Amino acid sequence: MTVATALTAVRPLPGDPAGSVLGREPGAAESAETYLRSGGYGEAASPGRLLEAVDRSGLRGRGGAGFPAAVKLRSVRDRGGVPVVVANGEEGEPGSVKDRWLLRARPHLVLDGLSRAAEITGAGQGCVYLSDPYAATQVRRALREHPPRIPVEVIETAHTYVAGEETSVVRRINGGPALPAAKPPRPYERGVAGQPTLVANVETLARIALIAAHPDLSDAIARTTLLTLSSWRDAPVLLEAPYGVPLRDLAAGQGSGDAYGALMGGLFGGLVGSGALDLALDPVELAAAGTSLGCGAVRFLAPGGCPVAVAHDAVDHLAAESARQCGVCVSGTAALRDTLRQLATGAAGPDAATRLDRWAGGLPGRGACGLLDAAAGTAGSLLRAFPDAVRDHLAAACPVCAGCPSTGGHRLVVPVPDVAGIRPDPAPVH
């Protein structure tokens, strides 16, 4: 099995892009002048009415958990104090590129949404949190072009899987390591500098800005989402799609119309078989089917690949990215990885499936963050979605898996689409 190395393509929505996060020219960085001409940074409804519009639209967070955006905004607003709002652009999932692309290409849209969130919550300070130097350059440039109403600081961090978890974000901004912290308190209770803190994904904030500028399109804005679609064989695609589209249609649009399943939600939605491709792109429907849209990253399983190899690659990546704060995470992810590696190479004992099943049921919820849950969930979903493949691997070595190196997390990485005219600052992360 090889790796698709083609650059990621960007496909905008057809028709009027007024309510689109991808915008009119997704291949170019948007200037303040262009954004202002499109209605950005304009007068909008009062903060209270904007919050009502966000609530009515049903907008969910786009960072992975899909939590209602209006509930988070109200929780921070009603906590008192002087809140802080954070645009979280630290994209830890290897198969997702939407947040880095958004900060590189449309930083003004994100900063507009950050300002709207600050007005709703009464915040006195904002932060943009990221690890991508190209994105940092663009955000700083955008802040110079159109200074915000509140002080906004760009905070850079090292890129890791757990660095974008909300308590990791708060610890890093407060001067500590970007590692998950014990909960409670949660950031909305006590976060940056001890103040109630909204940690919002950058796409979530972008959609709040679009709702402010186009209230008549609120429902469509809330029910459209950015997706990173990939497979081992076909070039990846970043696109914007409305809820309700069958996953099978998305697979065909990406080039994987013959897909027999998918790895859903980055590394958090698990593996699903062919029947799940008839499900609609909808958080509620996917959750009812036992999977998740997560961060909007979907890796289709194309013929010629192997679901066991994909499960191994995912857990291998997670084991390598463990924060190593929880002993159960270190030992649990290593055990899952090693057993999946043995399964992939034909070296597993007859009890391998039994052990994977036991760990898949017993490990979730025991770590400080969701990394261990993702690893256990991936193993469990392999057993549920592809039991025949597991049995075949127990009986004999798999020729597809035999052609894969033993460490394979890098095979899940998708390149960020090119954005014309940007150069990274040489300043180091500090």
Side-chain angles (χ1 to χ4, degrees):
M1 185 168 64
T2 59
V3 183
T5 56
L7 294 176
T8 305
V10 182
R11 293 185 189 161
L13 279 168
D16 184 5
S20 165
V21 168
L22 289 179
R24 297 180 183 276
E25 296 183 67
E30 186 174 54
S31 67
E33 181 182 0
T34 301
Y35 184 63
L36 286 163
R37 283 203 306 268
S38 72
Y41 294 127
E43 293 296 323
S46 68
R49 294 191 64 179
L50 177 56
L51 177 57
E52 291 174 5
V54 172
D55 197 359
R56 284 194 306 271
S57 75
L59 178 67
R60 291 170 174 263
R62 295 300 198 268
F67 196 74
V71 173
K72 287 187 75 170
L73 288 162
R74 279 200 187 93
S75 296
V76 173
R77 181 197 65 182
D78 296 345
R79 196 72 188 177
V82 183
V84 178
V85 290
V86 180
N88 186 5
E90 174 43 28
E91 196 166 31
E93 296 282 4
S96 180
V97 297
K98 69 181 182 70
D99 296 337
R100 283 166 290 169
W101 174 87
L102 187 53
L103 289 170
R104 292 181 186 191
R106 303 204 70 190
H108 287 288
L109 181 62
V110 175
L111 292 171
D112 194 357
L114 187 71
S115 294
R116 307 291 181 184
E119 291 170 357
I120 290 171
T121 59
Q125 177 188 350
C127 300
V128 181
Y129 176 84
L130 44 72
S131 65
D132 175 24
Y134 288 87
T137 296
Q138 290 302 94
V139 172
R140 290 189 175 102
R141 195 171 290 164
L143 289 169
R144 292 193 298 269
E145 288 180 339
H146 194 277
R149 299 167 191 169
I150 60 170
V152 173
E153 186 178 2
V154 178
I155 304 293
E156 295 187 67
T157 190
H159 176 69
T160 67
Y161 186 82
V162 300
E165 195 270 343
E166 64 174 7
T167 61
S168 299
V169 173
V170 169
R171 283 184 77 180
R172 174 69 184 90
I173 295 173
N174 281 337
L179 296 173
K183 299 177 282 288
R186 294 187 176 275
Y188 82 89
E189 297 170 311
R190 187 167 71 248
V192 175
Q195 296 298 323
T197 299
L198 176 76
V199 180
N201 173 262
V202 292
E203 184 189 348
T204 310
L205 294 172
R207 294 195 180 277
I208 290 173
L210 288 173
I211 289 171
H214 307 283
D216 54 320
L217 300 176
S218 294
D219 289 351
I221 291 166
R223 294 185 57 80
T224 306
T225 196
L226 291 179
L227 301 170
T228 310
L229 307 180
S230 62
S231 74
W232 74 268
R233 185 192 63 192
D234 304 293
V237 175
L238 172 65
L239 55 75
E240 198 166 6
Y243 289 169
V245 175
L247 295 178
R248 197 173 299 279
D249 290 358
L250 293 171
Q254 185 261 333
S256 301
D258 53 355
Y260 61 87
L263 177 63
M264 294 292 300
L267 304 183
F268 214 87
L271 289 159
V272 296
S274 178
L277 297 182
D278 294 321
L279 293 170
L281 180 73
D282 182 274
V284 176
E285 182 169 338
L286 291 172
T291 185
S292 169
L293 180 59
C295 63
V298 181
R299 187 170 186 83
F300 293 111
L301 307 181
C306 177
V308 174
V310 173
H312 167 259
D313 287 354
V315 175
D316 178 69
H317 179 81
L318 290 166
E321 289 290 313
S322 171
R324 311 193 74 77
Q325 293 187 129
C326 307
V328 68
C329 180
V330 175
S331 60
T333 56
L336 288 163
R337 176 202 61 208
D338 293 345
T339 303
L340 286 168
R341 183 177 298 164
Q342 292 163 6
L343 192 64
T345 58
D351 65 338
T354 301
R355 285 185 285 125
L356 288 172
D357 184 57
R358 182 173 71 250
W359 293 329
L363 290 175
R366 296 179 62 187
C369 68
L371 186 147
L372 180 59
D373 294 15
T378 298
S381 68
L382 173 68
L383 299 175
R384 292 190 301 272
F386 299 101
D388 292 345
V390 173
R391 282 193 294 270
D392 290 346
H393 281 69
L394 287 170
C398 169
V400 174
C401 293
C404 298
S406 60
T407 54
H410 66 280
R411 286 191 287 267
L412 301 174
V413 174
V414 173
V416 182
D418 283 341
V419 177
I422 64 173
R423 295 181 177 84
D425 283 337
V429 172
H430 54 83

